Amino acid sequence: MLWAILLSLLAGIAASYSGLLPASLESIFNDMPFYCLCVMLVLVGYGIGKDKDALRVVLKQNVKTLLIPLGTVVGTLIGGAAAVCFLDLNIKESLAVAAGLGWYSFSAVYLTEVHSADLGAISFLSNVFRELFALFLIPVVAKFMGANPAISLGGATTMDVSLPVITRYAGSAAAVTAFIHGLVISIIIPFLLPLIIH
Amino acid sequence: MSSNFILILCLLAGFVIGFFNKKTGQSKAHALLLFATIIILIFCMGVILGYAPDLPKRMALYGYNALVITVSAIVFSAVTVWVIVKITGVGKRGK
């Protein structure tokens, strides 16, 4: 999946940079992502709504379990704010990039739409990095800090891409927490990003 | 109607449709459509980026910014969750 995504990004860059797609088409490509985002969010919402077993698991959990995704969001935003000291971005931009929490397909395109292609590109790379770092660091963090800090690394990816790694290195008991963590964060992001960037 | 409101409506509309859909299990068509949408979205983003004439110069800066934000975000999120677990004891059985 990640390779297909990276290839499609590179193909898009190559097509326009090389002049294969003339500049007269730019306005079409500026408008199209919004409609695709709408379709993607309908599909994501559909997937969440249809998975009633997952919803039942979430509702059965102790409310305290929600502190884990909440901690991930708060910690990520603190990290995004702290990163400003080393960057030429303002705090809003840095927070918005961090608030993608690993969901690169939504956050990068959303920030391209509402802010700029530059911030969208930073967001895309940052969220791809988060997914990759999570896959490599979850085993280490699970060993030295425990299952929950390890889950927090994955952000929104803990309900899909990083779930097998969490199950393998943090134990099967952590898998339920990881799934809820990813689900809650995936629901939060579409509300959180507009709040930060506007 | 603002674009953010439309996007949130789309998420909620999808949730309602999915919730009241009687068919069980995730369909292949749904997964395939989602994948295709993501590929088109990322391709469009690439096209928009490629229209910038000074793209090669900017790539290193994009990478540096992304790396710093990612490292800072994951370090602080792991530490924050670790502190929450220590204080509240939530999810300790997951270790």
Side-chain angles (χ1 to χ4, degrees):
Chain A
M1 171 85 166
L2 192 59
W3 286 111
I5 302 259
L6 287 173
L7 275 178
S8 68
L9 178 78
L10 292 175
I13 292 174
S16 54
Y17 193 74
S18 64
L20 200 67
L21 291 172
S24 55
L25 295 176
E26 191 173 349
S27 65
I28 295 173
F29 283 99
N30 277 325
D31 294 341
M32 206 155 74
F34 178 73
Y35 302 107
C36 286
L37 266 185
C38 291
V39 175
M40 188 182 82
L41 284 176
V42 169
L43 292 169
V44 169
Y46 178 84
I48 294 171
K50 201 177 171 202
D51 199 349
K52 294 182 186 68
D53 290 338
L55 292 174
R56 258 179 234 122
V57 170
V58 173
L59 293 174
K60 270 186 192 169
Q61 290 294 311
N62 189 327
V63 178
K64 269 187 167 182
T65 309
L66 295 177
L67 286 175
I68 307 293
L70 193 71
T72 300
V73 173
V74 171
T76 297
L77 294 179
I78 295 171
V84 165
C85 306
F86 307 96
L87 304 172
D88 196 21
L89 296 175
N90 65 44
I91 192 159
K92 239 171 144 180
E93 292 167 337
S94 181
L95 284 175
V97 171
L101 287 143
W103 190 1
Y104 47 80
S105 55
F106 174 74
S107 58
V109 179
Y110 178 77
L111 290 177
T112 302
E113 273 286 306
V114 303
H115 192 280
S116 63
D118 288 341
L119 200 65
I122 295 167
S123 172
F124 178 81
L125 286 175
S126 172
N127 288 296
V128 168
F129 287 162
R130 181 158 190 159
E131 185 173 304
L132 290 173
F133 285 0
L135 294 175
F136 287 110
L137 293 176
I138 281 169
V140 183
V141 175
K143 188 175 177 184
F144 293 104
M145 292 176 81
N148 293 305
I151 291 170
S152 77
L153 299 184
T157 70
T158 59
M159 66 184 285
D160 43 54
V161 178
S162 56
L163 186 59
V165 185
I166 290 166
T167 310
R168 169 87 172 76
Y169 292 97
S172 53
V176 177
T177 309
F179 185 84
I180 293 168
H181 179 269
L183 186 66
V184 170
I185 286 181
S186 299
I187 293 169
I188 289 175
I189 293 171
F191 295 92
L192 183 66
L193 261 179
L195 277 179
I196 292 171
I197 204 68
H198 284 290
Chain B
M1 199 161 25
S2 81
S3 56
N4 295 322
F5 187 63
I6 294 172
L7 291 173
I8 286 166
L9 268 185
C10 288
L11 184 71
L12 294 176
F15 180 85
V16 171
I17 297 166
F19 191 78
F20 290 105
N21 188 332
K22 293 244 183 330
K23 284 183 187 171
T24 53
Q26 299 292 333
S27 72
K28 273 188 180 174
H30 172 259
L32 199 67
L33 200 57
L34 188 59
F35 179 72
T37 313
I38 291 171
I39 293 292
I40 295 169
L41 269 172
I42 301 297
F43 179 80
C44 289
M45 212 187 92
V47 170
I48 295 168
L49 278 174
Y51 280 129
D54 56 345
L55 180 72
K57 280 184 199 165
R58 291 186 192 187
M59 285 309 278
L61 189 63
Y62 293 159
Y64 169 73
N65 282 314
L67 193 66
V68 172
I69 293 172
T70 309
V71 170
S72 183
I74 61 173
V75 167
F76 277 95
S77 68
V79 170
T80 306
V81 169
W82 183 80
V83 169
I84 286 174
V85 171
K86 286 283 169 201
I87 293 171
T88 65
V90 63
K92 270 193 171 165
R93 67 188 169 85
K95 190 172 177 180

